[in-house]
Amino acid sequence: MAESQKNQTEKENIVELKTNIYLLSIIGEVEGHESLGERTKATRYEHILPALARAEEDKSIDGLLILLNTVGGDVEAGLAIAEMIASMRKPAVSLVLGGGHSIGVPLAVAADYSLIVPSATMVIHPVRTNGMFIGVAQTYRNMEKTQDRITGFVSAHSGITRERLEELMLDTKTLVKDVGTMLDGPQAVKEGLIDEVGGIARALEKLNELMKNAAGTEN
């Protein structure tokens, strides 16, 4: 795919609807400081962050709907997007439609209210790294600190405790070639990770409810 075509595809991730809702889709892999291959479906965080800032500032926009189907990706980039969503004054609702893997978990819970369709999954596992790995104590401590930032964020923005999240993260019985846990929609809600099982109609209904409440508070 040519660079211009790739940029056009990524810009389509951010859509201002005809209503007062801003639609943000996070699809494929979250791309960080290093570019992914041309054949990789990716969401670039340098496009998402300015878009969220514009949505927050735009007085014609009253709420944000986030559609998620991600395999994870760059931890720092994903956490930056999640922090941006969580810090917005305008109501936000997230809907997990397929995968909510790895860094997709903080992205889902960053919204004021989160939903997941029954067949979607959320994969919870520890932070991992690719490429050259320097096997010294400092490296492990840094990874541990990164993991603490993620688990702290998730537990602060959802109904799951930090202890339970770490337990699921280190489970060796669920995934075949990895440690961690895969939760389907109902299981994610039962664990307190996601607020509700539902689809697009319910997500829009909830967002409109939050926007009305926010408008009433401002008045």
Side-chain angles (χ1 to χ4, degrees):
M1 183 185 294
E3 185 66 20
S4 60
Q5 290 176 308
K6 186 175 182 181
N7 288 340
Q8 180 60 35
T9 301
E10 287 159 346
K11 290 176 182 177
E12 290 171 357
N13 287 353
I14 307 154
V15 179
E16 186 176 346
L17 302 179
K18 292 181 180 179
T19 63
N20 51 352
I21 294 173
Y22 203 68
L23 174 62
L24 172 68
S25 62
I26 299 177
I27 306 297
E29 189 167 350
V30 177
E31 186 176 270
H33 296 300
E34 294 184 5
S35 297
L36 296 170
E38 292 182 355
R39 296 178 62 84
T40 303
K41 180 75 71 174
T43 297
R44 289 187 175 182
Y45 87 115
E46 70 266 28
H47 291 175
I48 301 297
L49 296 182
L52 289 173
R54 288 193 298 270
E56 176 68 10
E57 181 66 17
D58 192 335
K59 291 181 172 57
S60 67
I61 295 171
D62 296 321
L64 176 68
L65 176 64
I66 306 156
L67 303 181
L68 282 162
N69 189 348
T70 176
V71 295
D74 187 284
V75 170
E76 296 294 342
L79 199 53
I81 297 171
E83 289 282 12
M84 191 82 159
I85 293 169
S87 67
M88 294 180 72
R89 293 187 301 267
K90 295 180 179 180
V93 168
S94 65
L95 175 60
V96 182
L97 291 166
H101 299 186
S102 187
I103 201 62
V105 176
L107 290 169
V109 304
D112 298 300
Y113 198 85
S114 57
L115 295 99
I116 186 169
V117 296
S119 63
T121 59
M122 305 203 79
V123 177
I124 305 165
H125 62 69
V127 170
R128 295 171 297 190
T129 185
N130 295 323
M132 187 177 69
F133 187 88
I134 302 175
V136 294
Q138 293 91 328
T139 302
Y140 293 108
R141 282 200 296 268
N142 286 338
M143 290 188 68
E144 187 177 18
K145 288 178 181 179
T146 300
Q147 187 64 72
D148 287 343
R149 289 160 57 205
I150 295 171
T151 53
F153 182 92
V154 173
S155 61
H157 291 86
S158 69
I160 195 170
T161 65
R162 188 170 188 147
E163 293 73 21
R164 178 56 177 162
L165 187 61
E166 290 174 350
E167 183 181 344
L168 294 171
M169 203 173 282
L170 299 175
D171 190 2
T172 59
K173 301 184 297 292
T174 304
L175 303 181
V176 177
K177 296 182 179 179
D178 198 359
V179 293
T181 301
M182 178 183 288
L183 302 173
D184 62 21
Q187 289 172 328
V189 173
K190 184 178 179 181
E191 291 287 353
L193 195 60
I194 298 294
D195 292 312
E196 182 181 340
V197 174
I200 185 64
R202 175 58 183 151
L204 288 168
E205 180 183 37
K206 185 63 183 181
L207 182 54
N208 277 290
E209 177 187 321
L210 292 177
M211 291 191 299
K212 287 178 183 177
N213 291 341
T217 302
E218 290 175 2
N219 294 335

